[in-house]
Amino acid sequence: MIKINSCIFTLLVFAVFTSCNSRKEQEKQADMRLKHIELLIGQNTLNTAKIEIDSIHILFPRLVEKRRIAAAFEDTIVRRESSRTLAYCDSVLPKKRHELDSIQVNFRFEKNVTYQDFGNFVYKTQLTESNSNRIYLKSYVDENNDLYLISNYCGAKIDHNSVEVAVNDLLARTDTLATTNAANHSFTVGGMRWETLTYKNETANGVASFITQEVTKRIKVSLHGKKSYVYYLADSDKKAIAETYRLWIVKKDVTQLEKEIKKAKARIARINKFRK
């Protein structure tokens, strides 16, 4: 019995000694990685530093103090990245806002407070009251930064459900809207047919972008449905769609910059609060 107890004691001492040696080795390895992380941060190699920080948490889950140091390094990276974001956005945003104002001066804001959640920015030559009995493509941007392209047709019934624009062999075509789709609207009054297709953002499949790129060219518009109708886009409509597309892009840029500023400030505030 004495001999057995002696063996157990020897094993326990060996286990404790081995454990201590193992922990010391782990701490040594962790310290080497932490020094490497500090060096990477000093060199602004921040993505690699993030990977090294993750490795500290994965490889040494029981070394709480080392992980705490790694977390502090992570906060340093977040603060540095957020400060860069703020500096960049603060320098670009005023220019983008100025660009937005210079474009928007040629638009009129329209909103029916009874039926609309978001008002629309409509180019001056495409106001509804000036174009009620005309076959044309109209575009506008709403307050939610959504881009709309509308095909307006009046005449004999054709039941068109898609729009194609082309310059020579280059073309772009919208999605096909079924007659049951709420975005496909038509009615007949006194033998005259009015048909309207409304496309939002991606459903226009780059038609507005195509018109913007080819604005100086003669653009053929083909309405496809039960019957077809072809016409050429007026210069005023090409300009209106191109300007509306530009407005949409710049408005999105401004909104994104404002979001990035808000996020960066929130990240810095969270770190400052936590470190107090």
Side-chain angles (χ1 to χ4, degrees):
M1 177 66 74
I2 293 173
K3 188 173 182 179
I4 293 173
N5 287 339
S6 177
C7 289
I8 293 173
F9 177 76
T10 301
L11 289 171
L12 287 172
V13 169
F14 179 76
V16 170
F17 179 76
T18 303
S19 175
C20 288
N21 278 346
S22 176
R23 185 176 182 86
K24 285 182 180 179
E25 182 60 30
Q26 285 188 351
E27 288 181 344
K28 183 180 178 181
Q29 292 178 16
D31 284 338
M32 290 175 61
R33 287 180 178 271
L34 289 171
K35 286 181 180 178
H36 187 219
I37 291 168
E38 187 174 13
L39 177 65
L40 289 170
I41 292 174
Q43 296 172 340
N44 280 322
T45 315
L46 302 184
N47 287 332
T48 306
K50 290 178 188 178
I51 295 172
E52 285 293 301
I53 289 170
D54 289 340
S55 73
I56 295 285
H57 297 304
I58 294 170
L59 295 174
F60 313 110
R62 296 184 180 181
L63 301 185
V64 177
E65 187 56 35
K66 306 301 180 184
R67 292 181 64 192
R68 190 173 288 124
I69 295 171
F73 279 139
E74 188 172 9
D75 286 346
T76 298
I77 292 172
V78 171
R79 186 183 286 110
R80 185 170 295 187
E81 288 180 331
S82 298
S83 296
R84 284 181 183 174
T85 298
L86 283 175
Y88 171 77
C89 292
D90 285 342
S91 67
V92 174
L93 185 56
K95 299 174 185 175
K96 283 292 179 180
R97 282 177 172 160
H98 177 73
E99 184 180 359
L100 178 62
D101 290 341
S102 65
I103 298 172
Q104 204 162 273
V105 70
N106 290 317
F107 287 75
R108 189 173 82 181
F109 181 70
E110 298 180 337
K111 184 175 183 179
N112 187 318
V113 293
T114 304
Y115 302 105
Q116 290 180 282
D117 294 323
F118 304 108
N120 306 323
F121 296 92
V122 183
Y123 195 74
K124 58 185 180 181
T125 61
Q126 293 201 317
L127 301 176
T128 302
E129 62 268 25
S130 307
N131 298 276
S132 57
N133 293 311
R134 195 163 71 88
I135 300 172
Y136 72 114
L137 291 179
K138 175 181 178 177
S139 61
Y140 65 84
V141 177
D142 71 9
E143 290 179 285
N144 197 42
N145 287 353
D146 288 315
L147 174 68
Y148 291 84
L149 181 73
I150 302 172
S151 173
N152 289 296
Y153 168 82
C154 59
K157 181 178 178 181
I158 62 171
D159 283 334
H160 79 294
N161 52 28
S162 68
V163 180
E164 178 186 290
V165 291
V167 174
N168 298 323
D169 294 331
L170 301 175
L171 60 86
R173 184 167 176 170
T174 65
D175 283 353
T176 298
L177 298 180
T179 54
T180 54
N181 192 316
N184 186 334
H185 180 67
S186 62
F187 62 93
T188 303
V189 176
M192 178 68 77
R193 178 78 165 183
W194 276 269
E195 299 176 6
T196 301
L197 303 183
T198 302
Y199 294 95
K200 180 179 177 181
N201 297 330
E202 289 77 14
T203 59
N205 285 343
V207 168
S209 174
F210 180 91
I211 293 169
T212 302
Q213 293 173 22
E214 306 294 336
V215 69
T216 60
K217 311 276 184 62
R218 193 166 186 242
I219 299 176
K220 182 172 74 172
V221 182
S222 300
L223 308 182
H224 297 288
K226 289 184 179 180
K227 295 182 180 180
S228 296
Y229 186 87
V230 174
Y231 66 97
Y232 285 87
L233 205 57
D235 288 342
S236 59
D237 292 327
K238 287 189 291 184
K239 182 177 180 180
I241 293 169
E243 288 296 294
T244 303
Y245 186 79
R246 282 185 59 217
L247 177 67
W248 181 54
I249 294 297
V250 177
K251 279 177 69 67
K252 287 200 302 180
D253 288 344
V254 168
T255 300
Q256 187 60 38
L257 287 167
E258 290 172 342
K259 285 181 179 178
E260 291 300 323
I261 289 173
K262 187 175 180 180
K263 283 163 54 179
K265 287 182 177 179
R267 286 194 292 262
I268 292 173
R270 177 188 61 79
I271 292 170
N272 291 341
K273 181 179 180 181
F274 181 76
R275 292 298 173 189
K276 282 182 179 180

